[in-house]
Amino acid sequence: MGDARDLCPHLDCIGEVTKEDLLLKSKGTCQSCGVAGPNLWACLQVTCPYVGCGESFADHSSIHAQVKKHNLTVNLT
């Protein structure tokens, strides 16, 4: 089997993300509407610090992904 990057081209867009980075982001709020967790999603695009709410709120994380073409996120719960 080939390298994972051959299977998914989006993997080239991810920077190095540490557990500490994700824990820090998980204590935040949606950067668009200010709602607090628990359903927050962090963008994994290199140099993009965006954290947005999920579909149980206004779904700003999906809007960010569609507008910016940042296709990989992680749930911070």
Side-chain angles (χ1 to χ4, degrees), residues 37 40 42 61:
L40 296 175
S61 61

Side-chain angles (χ1 to χ4, degrees), residues 2-52:
D3 185 88
R5 294 179 193 278
D6 293 333
L7 301 175
C8 180
H10 299 112
L11 292 177
D12 288 332
C13 301
I14 299 176
E16 185 171 321
V17 180
T18 66
K19 178 181 175 183
E20 290 74 24
D21 293 335
L22 295 177
L23 286 172
L24 183 61
K25 286 183 176 186
S26 71
K27 292 177 174 58
T29 59
C30 174
Q31 293 176 5
S32 295
C33 69
V35 72
N39 194 15
L40 296 175
W41 293 79
C43 181
L44 295 178
Q45 182 80 18
V46 175
T47 72
C48 184
Y50 188 79
V51 173

Side-chain angles (χ1 to χ4, degrees), residues 22 38-42 73-77:
L22 295 177
N39 194 15
L40 296 175
W41 293 79
T73 59
V74 64
N75 189 299
L76 295 172
T77 299

